[in-house]
Amino acid sequence: MDLPPTQFSEDQAEAYDAISDVLRASGVTLDEGWEPRKDGRQSVVRAVLGKAGSGKTLLLAHLARSLRNAGVEIVSGDYESRRARERRTLAILAPTNKAASVLRNRGVPATTIHRILYTPVYDPEYERVAEWLAEGEGEGERPEVEGMTDAALDRAREFFQSNGSVPGALAAAGLRGSDFIVGWERREDPLDIGLVDESSMLDKSQLDDLGEIFPTLILFGDPAQLAPVGESGNMVFDKLPAPQVMTLTRVHRQEGDSPILDLAHALADPGLDFDAFDGMVREAAARDGRVVIGERVESDLMARSPVLVWTNATRIRLIRAFRTAFEAPEDDLLPGEPLICDGIELPLKHRKRRIDLETRGLVKGAQAVYLGPGRRPGFSRLHLLGAEEPRLAVASIVKIEHPGEQEPFIPFAAGMGAVFLHGAAVTIHKAQGSQWDTVQVFAPDIRNAARSGREEAGQLLWKRLAYVAITRAAERLIWCVRSSLALPSGPLTADDLGEVAAPKLTLESPEFGE
């Protein structure tokens, strides 16, 4: 997490100082050190809000670096050493793997909320190896574990020293996740400081869960995004008292300015209607290659960067067109087809198995790529996008929805397990927290939302939809203006995902894994 020297704007500096005061009151002085944690402290929640490009991630990254320099232990959720329990701790959190991966790609060691709420239970034999790595990076006395050679321990140590991941190190030694992780349990011991990115995606129950674990909680969020479904248009930070909220207002544009951010911030103009905004997009496309007017939806891009739409009806039509273009069979999936997790269907008695799936990143909204069938009927081999350990095999129920049909077609299914919808097109609500280099936005849907006149939390819905959709684009925005699909340039494959070792996170239970 070696970041370049930071030059704050005035509002960032004020937020940094305010958070420093909160941390100092808890016994942590940035860049200097910490005092032992005091029991019985009341929970402290602060929020840092700002629109896209306002510098929230820069501030979060700098805070994380300063806390690490002060000797605070960063907890990843992969493995927690005994030493971490004796020190002040920090966890950097995001609601989904995809959102966490955006931070990790910027050098911030983020993990998902589920990986902190639930901790892995290690087999006692392999826990000795984990402690050997975590306590001294493999430089102390070597543990003796039956079946593990010195060469395997060397591979584990080399991996840990370069990557800092205990599960990754054990996998490098030739073990599968099910060899050394025997289960998951709800965290009982509290942590210390939590920095939560994309907090606009949180619901009240998640915030309550985090409040039980973290005495000091700093939320980073964008008030212009869409509120979680079922939260009546409200976000968890909306009810915080004004003194607990810091707002970043200055726009930190990308080098050479960003036409995408310019368009996003233009939506704040109350007098702007859809036609005027559409004209702004076309003007931006005429002068800057980072904005493109798409006369057709690009089917090639849909395989890894879904088209963002408003309604489920549009989503289903585009998915149907995508599968037709790639000549996908009606009764099977092609390797390389994108999927979206729509939940986990397991009875209450299998709660531990549900936790196992969720902590490994298979939560509702998780994006995956189908690699092929598993060794047993109803099982799928998947690549979880954004996950640190992306490959797994899992019992799955895949639903392919067709236009005008009430019930989806299910090409194959296990009796119970993870439920998936096709992911070539995704509603803008489900796209929150994700980011892609290139994003296609289906403009006719945004126009229909504008014609509906609907509002959410006092703002026109079409503006919220447009804002969230276009800010998912990191480098290039394609504003698709017609309901037509370009033919693919070649067959669909999973070759672009690279070579990854065989699935390490296979679930071993006869009901749910191979």
Side-chain angles (χ1 to χ4, degrees), residues 30-328:
L30 294 179
D31 299 322
E32 293 185 18
W34 51 270
E35 301 173 358
R37 187 169 57 208
K38 298 176 182 178
D39 295 330
R41 275 196 305 109
Q42 292 184 339
S43 178
V44 176
V45 181
R46 295 290 186 271
V48 178
L49 308 182
K51 293 184 178 180
S54 61
K56 298 187 299 298
T57 302
L58 178 68
L59 178 60
L60 186 155
H62 190 84
L63 283 166
R65 179 176 62 179
S66 297
L67 284 162
R68 186 191 63 179
N69 291 342
V72 175
E73 186 90 4
I74 295 180
V75 177
S76 69
D78 289 333
Y79 180 76
E80 196 170 330
S81 70
R82 296 186 183 95
R83 181 180 65 177
R85 299 166 194 169
E86 299 167 356
R87 304 180 66 175
R88 304 302 297 268
T89 54
L90 163 71
I92 305 158
L93 309 169
T96 65
N97 265 321
K98 189 67 173 169
S101 73
V102 171
L103 287 175
R104 290 196 296 268
N105 289 338
R106 298 179 182 181
V108 181
T111 190
T112 62
I113 292 172
H114 271 94
R115 291 302 292 268
I116 293 298
L117 292 178
Y118 296 93
T119 59
V121 178
Y122 276 65
D123 180 282
E125 284 289 293
Y126 298 118
E127 187 169 17
R128 294 164 52 208
V129 180
E131 283 293 332
W132 174 64
L133 295 168
E135 295 289 353
E137 295 193 348
E139 297 298 339
E141 183 178 352
R142 286 174 176 248
E144 293 185 7
V145 178
E146 184 178 355
M148 288 196 74
T149 64
D150 282 343
L153 289 172
D154 286 340
R155 291 197 302 273
R157 179 179 60 184
E158 182 179 355
F159 184 95
F160 184 83
Q161 289 175 340
S162 61
N163 295 275
S165 168
V166 169
L170 293 175
L175 300 172
R176 296 179 303 173
S178 55
D179 292 330
F180 54 86
I181 295 179
V182 296
W184 301 84
E185 62 184 11
R186 177 82 180 202
R187 178 181 293 278
E188 294 182 358
D189 297 329
L191 290 173
D192 199 348
I193 302 163
L195 306 182
V196 186
D197 197 28
E198 296 288 352
S199 64
S200 57
M201 298 174 66
L202 299 181
D203 58 33
K204 186 179 183 303
S205 64
Q206 290 173 311
L207 182 64
D208 291 341
D209 285 340
L210 292 172
E212 293 177 3
I213 295 173
F214 295 99
T216 303
L217 199 58
I218 311 297
L219 309 177
F220 292 80
D222 186 339
Q225 293 202 28
L226 294 158
V229 176
E231 294 296 313
S232 302
N234 296 315
M235 300 179 188
V236 293
F237 44 70
D238 288 340
K239 295 182 179 180
L240 293 178
Q244 295 177 221
V245 178
M246 295 153 278
T247 302
L248 305 183
T249 56
R250 179 175 180 266
V251 178
H252 300 266
R253 293 190 174 91
Q254 301 169 6
E255 184 177 354
D257 290 346
S258 166
I260 298 171
L261 288 182
D262 289 345
L263 289 169
H265 286 273
L267 289 162
D269 181 357
L272 185 72
D273 61 19
F274 176 83
D275 288 334
F277 180 72
D278 182 70
M280 292 178 66
V281 177
R282 293 173 185 274
E283 290 173 5
R287 64 176 183 270
D288 196 305
R290 288 172 287 183
V291 178
V292 177
I293 300 299
E295 296 295 334
R296 293 181 176 85
V297 175
E298 296 294 331
S299 55
D300 287 332
L301 286 174
M302 293 171 71
R304 299 294 175 266
S305 177
V307 182
L308 303 187
V309 304
W310 173 37
T311 68
N312 276 317
T314 303
R315 177 180 64 85
I316 293 169
R317 286 198 303 271
L318 285 169
I319 289 169
R320 177 70 170 175
F322 170 87
R323 301 199 79 235
T324 300
F326 279 103
E327 299 181 349

Side-chain angles (χ1 to χ4, degrees), residues 302-361:
M302 293 171 71
R304 299 294 175 266
S305 177
V307 182
L308 303 187
V309 304
W310 173 37
T311 68
N312 276 317
T314 303
R315 177 180 64 85
I316 293 169
R317 286 198 303 271
L318 285 169
I319 289 169
R320 177 70 170 175
F322 170 87
R323 301 199 79 235
T324 300
F326 279 103
E327 299 181 349
E330 289 283 348
D331 59 351
D332 202 357
L333 293 176
L334 295 174
E337 289 200 64
L339 300 173
I340 297 288
C341 181
D342 197 42
I344 299 172
E345 293 186 358
L346 295 179
L348 185 61
K349 66 179 181 178
H350 295 300
R351 179 174 176 273
K352 288 186 178 180
R353 191 58 62 182
R354 174 189 293 274
I355 293 171
D356 191 46
L357 286 167
E358 291 175 340
T359 51
R360 292 172 179 186

Side-chain angles (χ1 to χ4, degrees), residues 287-513:
R287 64 176 183 270
D288 196 305
R290 288 172 287 183
V291 178
V292 177
I293 300 299
E295 296 295 334
R296 293 181 176 85
V297 175
E298 296 294 331
S299 55
D300 287 332
L301 286 174
M302 293 171 71
R304 299 294 175 266
S305 177
V307 182
L308 303 187
V309 304
W310 173 37
T311 68
N312 276 317
T314 303
R315 177 180 64 85
I316 293 169
R317 286 198 303 271
L318 285 169
I319 289 169
R320 177 70 170 175
F322 170 87
R323 301 199 79 235
T324 300
F326 279 103
E327 299 181 349
E330 289 283 348
D331 59 351
D332 202 357
L333 293 176
L334 295 174
E337 289 200 64
L339 300 173
I340 297 288
C341 181
D342 197 42
I344 299 172
E345 293 186 358
L346 295 179
L348 185 61
K349 66 179 181 178
H350 295 300
R351 179 174 176 273
K352 288 186 178 180
R353 191 58 62 182
R354 174 189 293 274
I355 293 171
D356 191 46
L357 286 167
E358 291 175 340
T359 51
R360 292 172 179 186
L362 205 55
V363 298
K364 191 167 185 176
Q367 300 165 41
V369 176
Y370 178 75
L371 301 178
R375 291 194 297 266
R376 297 177 58 208
F379 288 80
S380 301
R381 291 183 295 111
L382 304 173
H383 182 106
L384 278 183
L385 296 176
E388 294 179 90
E389 296 287 341
R391 298 291 170 94
L392 79 161
V394 64
S396 54
I397 303 166
V398 179
K399 299 180 179 180
I400 304 297
E401 301 155 291
H402 289 171
E405 297 182 13
Q406 291 289 330
E407 296 296 327
F409 173 71
I410 301 177
F412 56 86
M416 55 186 66
V419 181
F420 294 94
L421 302 177
H422 206 278
V426 173
T427 61
I428 295 168
H429 263 101
K430 283 191 175 179
Q432 289 194 131
S434 298
Q435 194 170 54
W436 298 270
D437 289 343
T438 298
V439 165
Q440 299 186 90
V441 178
F442 195 68
D445 250 19
I446 308 295
R447 181 184 294 277
N448 289 338
R451 288 172 176 168
S452 75
R454 287 175 53 180
E455 294 188 0
E456 183 176 290
Q459 185 178 4
L460 289 170
L461 176 61
W462 79 265
K463 289 189 174 183
R464 282 187 177 269
L465 292 168
Y467 176 87
V468 172
I470 65 180
T471 54
R472 300 311 92 200
E475 296 179 5
R476 190 167 66 122
L477 166 68
I478 301 178
W479 186 251
C480 301
V481 297
R482 293 177 57 199
S483 299
S484 61
L485 187 75
L487 292 175
S489 59
L492 189 63
T493 73
D495 295 345
D496 59 296
L497 299 174
E499 290 294 328
V500 179
K504 307 182 186 74
L505 300 180
T506 300
L507 304 179
E508 295 297 325
S509 162
E511 293 98 335
F512 310 119

